[in-house]
Amino acid sequence: MLREKFRETVFNRGMSDIIKKSGTVIVGFSGGADSSVLVYLLREYASENGFRLVLAHVNHMIRGEEADRDEAFAEETARRLDIPIRVKRADVPSLAKEWGMGLEEAARRVRYDFFDELSAEFGGAPIATAHNADDHLETVLFRMMRGSGLKGLCGIDPVRDGKVIRPLISCSGEEIREFCTENNIPYRTDSTNADTSYTRNYIRHEIVPRLREQFEAPEKAVLRMTELLRCDNDFIEGEAAKLCPAGTTAFDRALFSTLHTALCARILRRMYLDFAGSDASLPDKVHTDAMLALALSEKTEGTVSLPTGVEFHVTRREVSFRHPVSRENAELRFPMSVKGSVFENELYKIVVSEKEHSFSTEEYENIYKLSIHKIMCSDKIIGSLYIKYRVHGDTYKVGGMTKKIKKMMIDEKMTAEEKNSLPLLCDGGGILWMPHFPLRDGVVSSAVGENNLHLYFFEKKTEKEIDI
């Protein structure tokens, strides 16, 4: 029965195609009953279908000599079955402190980092883990108690990212142990599995047995439920992907405000992961709620600071993510291409272009004051263009004199906010142009030609100016 479930899962979930493409499978092997059965069945399946296995064992150095014995068992099993094995030893307790996370979370991070390394080494080989139906049940219960959303309640994906496969996900722990007995498969038992101070162990030993008193095979019921949830979630995620393809840096706010909240939340998550990286921790619900509230409010502009050091930013026109800007960081530079670039912050916008523009669109008329237009000779630009913010000691050569930026701003009666937000266009020779002032000596173009570079500066209107 278990063998049939294994094969049915491999075939119906597309795992057979994933394995066929690679020709190699990395098997996470702890030495426990689940992973021992997984190796047994995959070895049998590999001999029939012509692919190879590589075992991957991690000694987390949490259980001292017991963990060392598990490592020795894993190596002996690999020798007995004539399967190559890779072993990693990692001081997880120390790493957990260094990373500021719990032992379980740190151990998982170490394991999957190791699996990913091996996968890359073997040409992107899939990774097989021994998660079963009981693990799936415990995961759903755990996430439910943490207030997870729909994606979290889908539990453990049978196939994750087309790379991690779980062939035993439909098999119960009891079925797996019975299979070990029937086929004389040796395995190790982790003593920490009985320690109910670990949340998952508490669920396993205290909560699940009580469920079994009232409901027969709750793991099967949860499997059925998550199949339905996964179908619904896949549909919503697909709709979000249509509206917000990978690489979207800003989303139209007017369109955003017309969408269902379920789509809005997923669009924000997609944009955030694109910006911060796919491995970044997702914002908590309180931060997601704050982002949604701001984006759907009547405010013309605003920001939500996230714990990851990223800012969610809203303007009248769009929603986006950005890194907070430190105005006093002299090394902070924003590259600008002479082929065409746009820089924008909370008060100003600068456009650099090889061509002249009219900027007569409604967007510019409604949001910005009349632009400043300067024409530079691109041959006079030294090195690369970039934008920075003012720092102490900045100077600027105009009218045959070298002037201090600080004094020029004071003379212009700029507010502190305007001073700190004013973008300075620079090249390899220093400051090239400061808005409201002339271009640096020697770069002004007086002729019409292909070597001209057009510079536009826009200043955002105040809310009062916008409402008029």
Side-chain angles (χ1 to χ4, degrees), residues 268-303:
L268 291 183
R269 183 170 67 236
R270 291 177 63 82
M271 290 176 63
Y272 171 80
L273 291 176
D274 261 352
F275 181 84
S278 58
D279 295 331
S281 298
L282 288 170
D284 293 332
K285 183 177 184 297
V286 63
H287 296 107
T288 300
D289 288 347
M291 288 188 283
L292 289 171
L294 174 60
L296 301 175
S297 72
E298 295 183 358
K299 292 184 178 180
T300 57
E301 189 165 354
T303 299

Side-chain angles (χ1 to χ4, degrees), residues 12-45:
N12 291 341
R13 299 291 185 176
M15 298 178 191
S16 55
D17 293 333
I18 294 172
I19 292 171
K20 191 181 298 182
K21 287 179 183 177
S22 172
T24 302
V25 177
I26 310 297
V27 188
F29 183 53
S30 67
D34 302 342
S35 61
S36 294
V37 167
L38 180 62
V39 171
Y40 182 98
L41 292 172
L42 277 174
R43 181 170 177 262
E44 183 179 84
Y45 189 71

Side-chain angles (χ1 to χ4, degrees), residues 145-301:
M145 292 302 102
R146 296 184 67 181
S148 176
L150 182 59
K151 183 174 176 60
L153 291 180
C154 289
I156 301 172
D157 290 332
V159 177
R160 177 166 64 82
D161 301 330
K163 181 178 179 181
V164 179
I165 60 176
R166 279 88 180 224
L168 298 180
I169 198 67
S170 300
C171 308
S172 70
E174 183 179 0
E175 289 174 319
I176 289 170
R177 290 186 292 275
E178 287 178 358
F179 191 85
C180 285
T181 301
E182 293 168 1
N183 294 276
N184 298 312
I185 300 173
Y187 62 88
R188 297 278 298 168
T189 300
D190 184 342
S191 63
T192 61
N193 285 342
D195 184 356
T196 55
S197 64
Y198 293 99
T199 305
R200 288 186 178 274
N201 288 344
Y202 181 82
I203 293 172
R204 179 177 305 154
H205 297 298
E206 299 292 335
I207 305 301
V208 173
R210 292 180 180 272
L211 283 177
R212 294 191 189 282
E213 292 174 3
Q214 299 293 326
F215 306 99
E216 184 179 356
E219 71 281 357
K220 294 181 181 178
V222 169
L223 279 170
R224 291 194 299 271
M225 178 192 76
T226 54
E227 279 296 303
L228 297 172
L229 295 181
R230 192 172 290 114
C231 181
D232 292 347
N233 187 63
D234 287 347
F235 173 77
I236 301 172
E237 291 286 356
E239 293 301 299
K242 292 177 187 177
L243 291 163
C244 182
T248 300
T249 57
F251 195 88
D252 183 83
R253 190 177 178 189
L255 173 59
F256 192 85
S257 66
T258 67
L259 301 175
H260 192 282
T261 305
L263 280 173
C264 290
R266 283 165 173 79
I267 286 169
L268 291 183
R269 183 170 67 236
R270 291 177 63 82
M271 290 176 63
Y272 171 80
L273 291 176
D274 261 352
F275 181 84
S278 58
D279 295 331
S281 298
L282 288 170
D284 293 332
K285 183 177 184 297
V286 63
H287 296 107
T288 300
D289 288 347
M291 288 188 283
L292 289 171
L294 174 60
L296 301 175
S297 72
E298 295 183 358
K299 292 184 178 180
T300 57
E301 189 165 354

Side-chain angles (χ1 to χ4, degrees), residues 196-436:
T196 55
S197 64
Y198 293 99
T199 305
R200 288 186 178 274
N201 288 344
Y202 181 82
I203 293 172
R204 179 177 305 154
H205 297 298
E206 299 292 335
I207 305 301
V208 173
R210 292 180 180 272
L211 283 177
R212 294 191 189 282
E213 292 174 3
Q214 299 293 326
F215 306 99
E216 184 179 356
E219 71 281 357
K220 294 181 181 178
V222 169
L223 279 170
R224 291 194 299 271
M225 178 192 76
T226 54
E227 279 296 303
L228 297 172
L229 295 181
R230 192 172 290 114
C231 181
D232 292 347
N233 187 63
D234 287 347
F235 173 77
I236 301 172
E237 291 286 356
E239 293 301 299
K242 292 177 187 177
L243 291 163
C244 182
T248 300
T249 57
F251 195 88
D252 183 83
R253 190 177 178 189
L255 173 59
F256 192 85
S257 66
T258 67
L259 301 175
H260 192 282
T261 305
L263 280 173
C264 290
R266 283 165 173 79
I267 286 169
L268 291 183
R269 183 170 67 236
R270 291 177 63 82
M271 290 176 63
Y272 171 80
L273 291 176
D274 261 352
F275 181 84
S278 58
D279 295 331
S281 298
L282 288 170
D284 293 332
K285 183 177 184 297
V286 63
H287 296 107
T288 300
D289 288 347
M291 288 188 283
L292 289 171
L294 174 60
L296 301 175
S297 72
E298 295 183 358
K299 292 184 178 180
T300 57
E301 189 165 354
T303 299
V304 174
S305 297
L306 304 176
T308 52
V310 171
E311 285 183 349
F312 173 66
H313 186 59
V314 167
T315 67
R316 181 183 287 270
R317 295 170 292 109
E318 62 191 26
V319 299
S320 61
F321 290 91
R322 68 184 187 183
H323 292 296
V325 176
S326 172
R327 306 299 195 227
E328 297 181 357
N329 187 347
E331 301 303 319
L332 194 63
R333 296 183 176 187
F334 302 87
M336 298 289 281
S337 170
V338 295
K339 298 294 184 183
S341 288
V342 177
F343 170 86
E344 183 175 12
N345 63 20
E346 58 271 26
L347 294 182
Y348 307 107
K349 184 169 190 169
I350 286 181
V351 178
V352 171
S353 175
E354 290 181 311
K355 299 178 180 179
E356 187 171 1
H357 296 283
S358 63
F359 294 105
S360 60
T361 64
E362 182 180 345
E363 171 192 327
Y364 282 82
E365 292 172 352
N366 289 342
I367 303 300
Y368 301 97
K369 297 177 183 178
L370 184 64
S371 71
I372 295 172
H373 179 202
K374 300 285 185 180
I375 304 176
M376 299 179 286
C377 180
S378 56
D379 291 340
K380 301 296 184 180
I381 294 171
I382 303 170
S384 301
L385 285 178
Y386 64 93
I387 281 175
K388 77 177 191 76
Y389 292 106
R390 71 181 181 109
V391 293
H392 181 72
D394 273 342
T395 57
Y396 181 31
K397 189 172 182 179
V398 288
M401 300 176 61
T402 299
K403 299 184 178 182
K404 289 186 177 181
I405 294 291
K406 180 179 179 180
K407 186 176 188 310
M408 294 171 73
M409 287 182 166
I410 291 173
D411 291 344
E412 190 67 12
K413 295 182 171 57
M414 290 185 179
T415 66
E417 183 181 16
E418 289 170 338
K419 293 176 185 175
N420 289 331
S421 299
L422 195 69
L424 306 176
L425 184 66
C426 308
D427 65 359
I431 297 173
L432 188 65
W433 179 66
M434 182 172 117
H436 300 300

Side-chain angles (χ1 to χ4, degrees), residues 58-64 90-112 142 190 192 195 197-201:
V58 178
N59 183 337
H60 300 101
M61 301 174 69
I62 295 175
R63 295 174 290 117
D91 186 354
V92 169
S94 296
L95 290 172
K97 291 181 181 177
E98 179 184 335
W99 295 337
M101 59 179 64
L103 279 178
E104 291 175 280
E105 187 180 1
R108 183 184 186 281
R109 176 172 168 180
V110 167
R111 281 197 303 277
Y112 279 94
F142 177 72
D190 184 342
T192 61
D195 184 356
S197 64
Y198 293 99
T199 305
R200 288 186 178 274
N201 288 344

